[in-house]
Amino acid sequence: KSTPGVNVSENAISIIGRSTVNILIDDRLIQLSGESLISYLKSIPSERIQKIEVITNPPAKYDAAGNSGLINIQLKPLPKENSWNAVLNSASEFATFPTLSHGGNFSYKKNKFSLLAGINYRYGNKIYTNDIDYLYPGNEQWTNDIYNKKNTKNLGTLLNLKYDISEKSTLGLQYSGSFINASTFEDNISKNYIGEILAKDYVTNGNTVSKARTNAVNMNYNQKLDTLGKKYSIDLDYFNSVSPKENEFVTNQNDIIGNTFQDIFANNTGRQQIQNYSGKIDFDMPYSWAALSFGAKAGFTKTKNEVDAQFFHNLNGDPPYNWQRDNFEYTENIQALYISADKN
């Protein structure tokens, strides 16, 4: 939050002047977003952070399309040879309801092998309210009152393994996971007035339950070619995300002037699943006349979305009067080459 040019809200991170932002840890992209990303970052204790780089004009190697920016969090080197370090942390935020988080971080280094493991559990309730008045010509008015209470349980995990094959080459494996259980209750009351007369009164009560699961695995190989900074790296990545959601609500529509009243019951379920496989090789070749970067990447992504919405006039076993379904798959395969040069 204290990094210049960076805005942090409840479940989003942004860079001023950039439409999107990607997060990297030690130059490697984190395939998480929203609450999953926030939970993952909270599993990293501040004592482990060496510096934060804000990159407003990313090079081609990071796939930062469009008006994007990057935030690269550089971690401190692991402890000295043959040592370990453990950190436990706990935090609380107090508003209408408290939000608590507990976590731990363990680092270990023995000869050529090093390990970093972290876990963070965050839970609590949050309240959102909004009262809006809409005024229209002809002395007509709508009022809308919203009360939303959300309970969230968020578990974030991190595991980083590294083995020094030689002084110039390393082999690494990284896993990050996020597991979110959330339930939301909402009251939404809308009223329509013609002058001082109440014309319509709509009341909606809804419950939403969602369980999001995200897993990301990266295997990497790094090779230094000389002492001047020339190097190359190979990365293999797998990413999987599953987000099922169930939303049930009932609306009481009371048209006082028209003397009509009806109940609408709805059951809306959705499920999104994303799978991604990718591999890339990157070369960094600094010379006295310019610094060259070039590489290649291949990525394969499949996204499945399932939406099912049913609407009933009552819940006594009658079939739905309206049924909307939408199931589709999206497949994307990308092969890319890049080269860039920098000179001061």
Side-chain angles (χ1 to χ4, degrees), residues 10-258:
E10 179 180 335
N11 58 358
I13 300 174
S14 61
I15 297 178
I16 296 175
R18 291 292 177 263
S19 58
T20 59
V21 60
N22 292 322
I23 306 297
L24 298 96
I25 302 293
D26 287 339
D27 301 318
R28 283 186 166 75
L29 184 65
I30 302 300
Q31 300 281 4
L32 300 173
S33 61
E35 293 183 2
S36 298
L37 176 62
I38 297 296
S39 176
Y40 172 79
L41 294 178
K42 286 182 178 293
S43 68
I44 304 175
S46 58
E47 296 84 359
R48 289 281 294 121
I49 297 176
Q50 179 169 285
K51 63 179 179 178
I52 298 176
E53 300 173 338
V54 180
I55 306 172
T56 56
N57 188 21
K61 65 182 292 185
Y62 293 114
D63 293 340
N67 186 29
S68 300
L70 296 176
I71 298 177
N72 186 20
I73 301 176
Q74 296 280 355
L75 302 181
K76 294 179 181 178
L78 291 174
K80 298 179 180 180
E81 299 284 347
N82 304 325
S83 64
W84 61 269
N85 181 54
V87 176
L88 299 177
N89 60 78
S90 184
S92 59
E93 301 174 10
F94 290 93
T96 305
F97 294 97
T99 298
L100 306 175
S101 64
H102 314 289
N105 185 281
F106 177 78
S107 57
Y108 172 81
K109 190 168 186 179
K110 176 73 172 179
N111 299 327
K112 297 183 178 182
F113 174 77
S114 58
L115 174 148
L116 173 64
I119 188 170
N120 182 269
Y121 181 63
R122 181 179 174 86
Y123 60 96
N125 296 290
K126 293 197 174 181
I127 297 293
Y128 168 80
T129 61
N130 200 346
D131 301 327
I132 311 175
D133 292 332
Y134 302 94
L135 303 177
Y136 296 92
N139 204 21
E140 180 181 359
Q141 179 182 5
W142 276 92
T143 65
N144 183 232
D145 298 331
I146 299 174
Y147 176 87
N148 181 294
K149 180 180 179 181
K150 183 177 183 179
N151 175 268
T152 304
K153 299 176 182 178
N154 194 329
L155 177 67
T157 59
L158 167 68
L159 177 64
N160 196 327
L161 306 175
K162 188 174 74 171
Y163 182 76
D164 297 327
I165 301 175
S166 66
E167 293 183 357
K168 293 185 176 182
S169 60
T170 61
L171 182 66
L173 177 67
Q174 179 174 288
Y175 166 79
S176 60
S178 177
F179 310 90
I180 301 175
N181 293 339
S183 60
T184 303
F185 170 79
E186 180 173 300
D187 277 333
N188 192 318
I189 302 174
S190 297
K191 295 184 178 182
N192 174 229
Y193 294 88
I194 306 298
E196 301 294 330
I197 301 174
L198 178 62
K200 298 177 182 179
D201 187 6
Y202 296 164
V203 179
T204 300
N205 306 117
N207 291 282
T208 302
V209 177
S210 61
K211 296 181 179 180
R213 306 287 185 266
T214 301
N215 296 281
V217 180
N218 168 269
M219 179 177 290
N220 57 83
Y221 174 79
N222 299 273
Q223 177 69 55
K224 296 179 181 179
L225 301 177
D226 59 20
T227 58
L228 301 178
K230 296 183 177 66
K231 60 183 180 180
Y232 73 87
S233 63
I234 301 174
D235 286 88
L236 301 175
D237 288 277
Y238 170 75
F239 173 79
N240 176 272
S241 176
V242 180
S243 302
K245 181 180 291 187
E246 296 183 3
N247 182 19
E248 297 180 349
F249 63 90
V250 56
T251 299
N252 310 120
Q253 295 184 347
N254 186 10
D255 188 346
I256 299 172
I257 292 181

Side-chain angles (χ1 to χ4, degrees), residues 249-269:
F249 63 90
V250 56
T251 299
N252 310 120
Q253 295 184 347
N254 186 10
D255 188 346
I256 299 172
I257 292 181
N259 196 27
T260 61
F261 179 87
Q262 68 172 339
D263 290 331
I264 297 177
F265 301 88
N267 183 14
N268 187 356
T269 61

